[in-house]
């Protein structure tokens, strides 16, 4: 069976490499069928690359080639990936994707197009890199009512935070290292400011609860205001700071979903997830807590998930897999600030007496070199709106959510 790859960047070149390297073993998995890359679409030139005869700059070379039945889209971004994917699905080709931005924005439309045209649109690589999570959530945990999910969903920021926590490395140096290793997005702002994690939260929430969630519905904060001082205070409370995506089921037609730095106490399965690794903790009513852990970014781990989808499409070339979700609505994702109670870490220019006057119980934290006019403490559980009200008049430096996962 002939396959095409659109986008020959880090992930796309990994997909070609895995398909070629595993060419001898793949037929054993799909009843003797072979998978051969016939075309690679990219506008750039790759002098010296051994695939010169496969490269094309013209999308129509893939669209109009009837031999090509499965296309791996590893281009990233919404345009032109959406237009290309829609045309391919309408032409009766299955498409697999690592493009979380596209799935988060346009997943519902593309899944519906796949359904209408009797083909598959799969995107295991869009969340958690090489970690199997989309299929387990869709199939293996199908018997559960999902109560919530929490995930370390961005390898770049987890790598940066790990370097800050374990090596005291400055933020910029850690970011450069993550970029050199091929973890970061083209524009690393998407990593640092939480947009990449937000897209993954949208995909997980859509799948877990059956209604499309758009990035604009998910309150998103990144890690750019986390300092080594915060890291140090949180360490004194036996915790670490992680960028978490959190999703909570409220009722059949309401969920909460948000991305932010969060204090995770040691003892949580998420606390020891370091470097570029990701983990997704799923809380089901029958199974309890299950945690999916593995490499969350990088060429070969992500290619591993894309090629698994290509193989799955080849296995299901004559029938569609049941996979998808329905439309959501504007009120579906509630304002977490008014609805979700949790403890908070607060750092302020204030005295312990001031804090005690505002909160019935707080746990004070300490750090080496703590100035005499600075305090840090953990509050009781309350909504963020209640916290904002209580903190009125206090010279607050930073606030970080404390997770219960
Ligand atoms: N930039 C992303 C990350 C790549 O660092 O996790 C994988 O989605």
């Amino acid at each position: 069976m002939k396959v095409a790859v659109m986008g020959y960047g880090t992930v796309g070149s990994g997909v070609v490499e895995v398909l070629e390297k595993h060419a001898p073993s793949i037929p054993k998995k799909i009843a003797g069928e072979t998978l051969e890359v016939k075309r690679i679409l990219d506008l750039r030139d790759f002098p010296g690359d051994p695939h010169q005869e496969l490269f094309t700059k013209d999308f129509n070379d893939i669209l109009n080639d009837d031999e090509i039945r499965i296309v791996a889209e590893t281009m990233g971004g919404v345009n032109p990936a959406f237009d290309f994917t829609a045309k391919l699905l309408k032409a009766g080709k299955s498409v697999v994707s690592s493009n979380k931005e596209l799935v988060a924005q346009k997943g519902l439309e593309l899944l519906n197009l796949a359904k209408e045209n009797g083909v598959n649109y799969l995107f295991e690589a869009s969340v958690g890199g090489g970690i199997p999570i989309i299929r387990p959530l869709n199939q293996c945990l199908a018997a559960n009512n999902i109560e919530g999910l929490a995930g370390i969903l961005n390898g770049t920021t987890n790598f940066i935070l790990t370097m800050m926590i374990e090596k005291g490395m400055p933020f910029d140096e850690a970011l450069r290292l993550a970029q050199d290793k091929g973890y970061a997005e083209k524009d690393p702002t998407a990593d640092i400011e939480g947009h990449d994690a937000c897209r993954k939260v949208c995909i997980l929430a859509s799948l877990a609860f059956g209604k499309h969630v758009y990035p604009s519905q998910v309150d998103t904060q990144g890690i750019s205001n986390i300092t080594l001082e915060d890291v140090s205070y949180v360490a004194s409370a036996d915790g670490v700071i992680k960028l978490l995506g959190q999703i909570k089921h409220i009722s059949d037609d309401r969920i909460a979903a948000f991305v932010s730095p969060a204090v995770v106490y040691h003892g949580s399965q998420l606390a020891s997830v370091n470097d570029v690794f990701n983990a997704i903790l799923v809380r089901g009513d029958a199974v309890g807590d299950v945690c999916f852990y593995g490499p969350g970014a990088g060429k070969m781990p992500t290619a591993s998930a894309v090629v698994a989808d290509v193989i799955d499409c080849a296995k299901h070339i004559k029938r569609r897999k049941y996979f998808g979700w329905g439309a959501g609505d504007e009120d579906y994702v509630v304002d977490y600030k008014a609805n979700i109670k949790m403890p908070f870490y607060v750092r302020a220019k204030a005295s312990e007496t001031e804090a005690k006057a505002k909160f019935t119980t707080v746990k004070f934290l300490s750090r080496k070199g703590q100035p005499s006019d600075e305090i840090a403490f953990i509050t009781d559980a309350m909504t963020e709106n209640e916290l904002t009200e209580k903190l009125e008049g206090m010279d607050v430096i930073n606030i970080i959510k404390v997770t219960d996962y």
Side-chain angles (χ1 to χ4, degrees):
M1 197 174 302
K2 305 286 193 243
V3 174
V5 176
M6 303 196 300
Y8 197 61
T10 307
V11 179
S13 58
V15 168
V16 174
E17 194 177 322
V18 172
L19 281 169
E20 287 180 348
K21 192 169 152 204
H22 294 175
S25 60
I26 285 173
K28 292 180 208 145
K29 295 169 187 167
I30 40 177
E33 186 70 69
T34 55
L35 291 177
E36 187 192 331
V37 180
K38 189 171 180 193
R39 285 290 192 187
I40 302 169
L41 177 74
D42 205 299
L43 294 178
R44 296 166 293 180
D45 293 314
F46 298 90
D49 188 284
H51 303 97
Q52 295 305 323
E53 75 285 2
L54 305 185
F55 287 123
T56 176
K57 293 181 179 9
D58 185 356
F59 167 67
N60 290 312
D61 286 343
I62 294 174
L63 181 67
N64 299 328
D65 187 330
D66 291 340
E67 266 194 335
I68 296 173
R69 306 287 306 276
I70 304 164
V71 180
E73 183 269 301
T74 52
M75 304 165 68
V78 175
N79 290 308
F82 173 66
D83 183 43
F84 288 179
T85 304
K87 284 183 173 146
L88 292 166
L89 295 171
K90 284 182 196 162
K93 299 181 198 296
S94 286
V95 180
V96 308
S97 179
S98 59
N99 187 341
K100 51 257 159 167
E101 191 175 358
L102 180 62
V103 180
Q105 293 282 6
K106 299 283 190 183
L108 179 63
E109 283 174 63
L110 292 171
L111 284 163
N112 286 342
L113 272 180
K115 191 174 170 187
E116 284 160 23
N117 291 282
V119 288
N120 289 299
Y121 181 55
L122 304 179
F123 36 82
E124 183 63 65
S126 66
V127 180
I131 305 173
I133 178 63
I134 301 291
R135 230 172 240 89
L137 205 49
N138 188 49
Q139 295 174 4
C140 316
L141 296 173
N144 287 263
N145 286 329
I146 304 296
E147 293 169 357
L149 301 93
I152 295 171
L153 299 168
N154 182 267
T156 303
T157 45
N158 203 39
F159 182 82
I160 292 171
L161 288 170
T162 304
M163 293 298 117
M164 288 172 76
I165 294 165
E166 293 195 344
K167 304 206 162 132
M169 188 184 278
F171 181 94
D172 292 346
E173 197 181 318
L175 171 60
R176 264 197 308 279
L177 210 52
Q179 286 176 301
D180 289 348
K181 287 173 179 278
Y183 304 151
E185 297 300 297
K186 271 184 220 154
D187 173 4
T189 318
D191 298 295
I192 305 308
E193 296 307 336
H195 307 307
D196 177 73
C198 165
R199 292 164 190 152
K200 293 164 180 168
V201 159
C202 293
I203 298 168
L204 291 175
S206 304
L207 195 57
F209 300 111
K211 289 184 185 181
H212 195 99
V213 172
Y214 291 94
S216 57
Q217 294 177 289
V218 177
D219 190 282
T220 299
Q221 291 164 36
I223 62 163
S224 51
N225 69 342
I226 302 298
T227 64
L228 289 172
E229 286 78 17
D230 296 314
V231 165
S232 189
Y233 277 122
V234 170
S236 80
D238 212 17
V240 283
I241 301 171
K242 296 286 180 191
L243 182 69
L244 282 195
Q246 300 189 64
I247 308 164
K248 288 176 187 276
H249 177 259
I250 295 175
S251 67
D252 278 352
D253 50 11
R254 294 285 177 271
I255 65 161
F258 46 97
V259 173
S260 70
V263 173
V264 183
Y265 290 120
H266 289 293
S268 161
Q269 297 187 75
L270 297 174
S272 54
V273 177
N274 287 327
D275 297 313
V276 73
F277 286 91
N278 282 192
I280 300 110
L281 196 151
V282 183
R283 192 161 283 172
D285 66 340
V287 71
D289 283 0
V290 281
C291 196
F292 300 86
Y293 169 85
K299 177 173 174 165
M300 297 313 264
T302 313
S304 151
V306 175
V307 174
D309 277 349
V310 173
I311 292 172
D312 209 6
C313 285
K315 278 183 188 165
H316 295 90
I317 206 73
K318 292 202 179 87
R319 63 201 161 92
R320 249 198 100 246
K321 285 177 63 118
Y322 182 79
F323 182 62
W325 53 72
D329 57 68
E330 244 178 61
D331 301 331
Y332 175 54
V333 183
V334 302
D335 176 10
Y336 84 86
K337 288 181 184 159
N339 288 279
I340 305 292
K341 283 185 193 281
M342 62 189 123
F344 290 88
Y345 158 95
V346 178
R347 177 155 73 103
K349 286 272 171 225
S351 67
E352 291 194 359
T353 317
E354 277 176 78
K356 281 181 192 157
K358 287 178 180 289
F359 298 91
T360 9
T361 43
V362 288
K363 178 182 169 162
F364 288 104
L365 312 179
S366 62
R367 72 171 169 97
K368 216 170 143 195
Q370 179 174 356
S372 58
D373 62 345
E374 182 180 281
I375 54 166
F377 57 90
I378 307 264
T379 70
D380 280 339
M382 61 189 70
T383 67
E384 195 162 322
N385 285 348
E386 286 164 349
L387 178 79
T388 309
E389 209 170 291
K390 278 181 190 284
L391 288 174
E392 218 174 274
M394 190 181 270
D395 186 2
V396 174
I397 304 170
N398 210 351
I399 296 172
I400 304 175
K401 298 172 183 61
V402 178
T403 188
D404 59 351
Y405 285 96

